[in-house]
Amino acid sequence: MPPQEIQEIYNHNVQQVLDLTGIFVFAVAGALMAVRKNFDVIGIVLLAEVTALGGGVIRDLIIGDVPPAAFRDLGYFSTPLFAAGLVFFLHPQVERISRTIDIFDAAGLGLFCVTGTAKAFAYGLGPVQATALGITTAVGGGAIRDVLAREVPVLLRWDREIYTVPALVGAAAVAVLVETGQFNAYTATAAAIFAFAFRVLALHKGWRAPRAWRRNSEVRGDFD
């Protein structure tokens, strides 16, 4: 599918709606982590902003969409502020925060792996490069959030349920849809839901990515 046709499907209004939806759910995830870490209001806002915008800014810088959309549209900054305000006053009970973070994070993961891949295609990138940028869009903000919260990023931890794989599957699905001419609003939505469901199922089932083959079990790592 030529980039012009992708632009027609993935027009500015659709892109903005999907981006703002992903930004909101990722911002909620970031703000909830700040609450769990007992951060003050500045910390809550900061984690909401970087979680929501980090991956998209990295994507836009790579594809040459500068200044990044997050710096051109006030809505991209105000949405995380709104999410942070909601969490500040209405956050769930502490013992339930961790699971809520995971659900909102999974929703953002599903949305951003699709929008990131589609936008990369719209800027003329090939399927492999677009898939890589879709994954970056999905996991970039969460990685920055974890670093600021003084945690090892989830995507690097073997002792946590698979995180990057659902984003990879969702981004790859979009790449296949684009290459076969089947990409549209319905298939894009289906890809996002599938990536979200994959991540939630991994959380429920405790699925983890394999470690190095024939790894010496006596050598203990940081999370053993």
Side-chain angles (χ1 to χ4, degrees):
M1 181 179 292
Q4 293 84 357
E5 294 184 24
I6 300 172
Q7 287 279 24
E8 291 176 4
I9 296 173
Y10 192 65
N11 60 52
H12 176 71
N13 291 332
V14 173
Q15 172 191 337
Q16 190 172 45
V17 170
L18 292 176
D19 275 348
L20 289 177
T21 303
I23 284 170
F24 178 79
V25 295
F26 259 155
V28 170
L32 285 172
M33 175 172 280
V35 171
R36 182 167 62 84
K37 288 286 187 176
N38 202 30
F39 288 179
D40 63 14
V41 63
I42 300 301
I44 293 172
V45 170
L46 179 60
L47 256 62
E49 291 282 355
V50 299
T51 307
L53 303 177
V57 169
I58 295 171
R59 173 202 63 205
D60 288 351
L61 290 175
I62 291 175
I63 64 178
D65 183 18
V66 291
F71 292 90
R72 298 196 308 266
D73 191 327
L74 182 61
Y76 283 76
F77 266 106
S78 59
T79 299
L81 288 175
F82 176 69
L86 286 179
V87 171
F88 183 82
F89 290 106
L90 303 173
H91 66 84
Q93 297 178 355
V94 174
E95 62 268 20
R96 299 178 59 187
I97 285 178
S98 179
R99 180 56 60 180
T100 306
I101 291 174
D102 290 336
I103 297 300
F104 275 98
D105 197 65
L109 189 82
L111 283 167
F112 274 10
C113 70
V114 170
T115 60
T117 306
K119 187 170 183 178
F121 267 110
Y123 275 75
L125 272 65
V128 174
Q129 298 90 334
T131 299
L133 272 188
I135 298 169
T136 301
T137 307
V139 306
I144 298 172
R145 173 201 65 201
D146 291 344
V147 170
L148 291 177
R150 293 174 293 180
E151 292 195 354
V152 177
V154 175
L155 73 163
L156 298 179
R157 296 187 60 165
W158 71 265
D159 64 330
R160 297 290 298 273
E161 295 80 6
I162 53 176
Y163 186 74
T164 307
V165 175
L168 169 61
V169 171
V174 172
V176 171
L177 291 169
V178 171
E179 289 294 292
T180 58
Q182 301 300 314
F183 181 76
N184 54 53
Y186 299 105
T187 56
T189 301
I193 292 173
F194 182 78
F196 167 73
F198 190 175
R199 170 61 177 163
V200 171
L201 190 60
L203 290 168
H204 180 69
K205 298 291 187 179
W207 292 341
R208 297 177 182 176
R211 288 189 282 173
W213 187 53
R214 292 183 176 177
R215 178 179 181 271
N216 186 349
S217 59
E218 295 182 358
V219 178
R220 305 182 67 81
D222 292 339
F223 307 113
D224 288 343

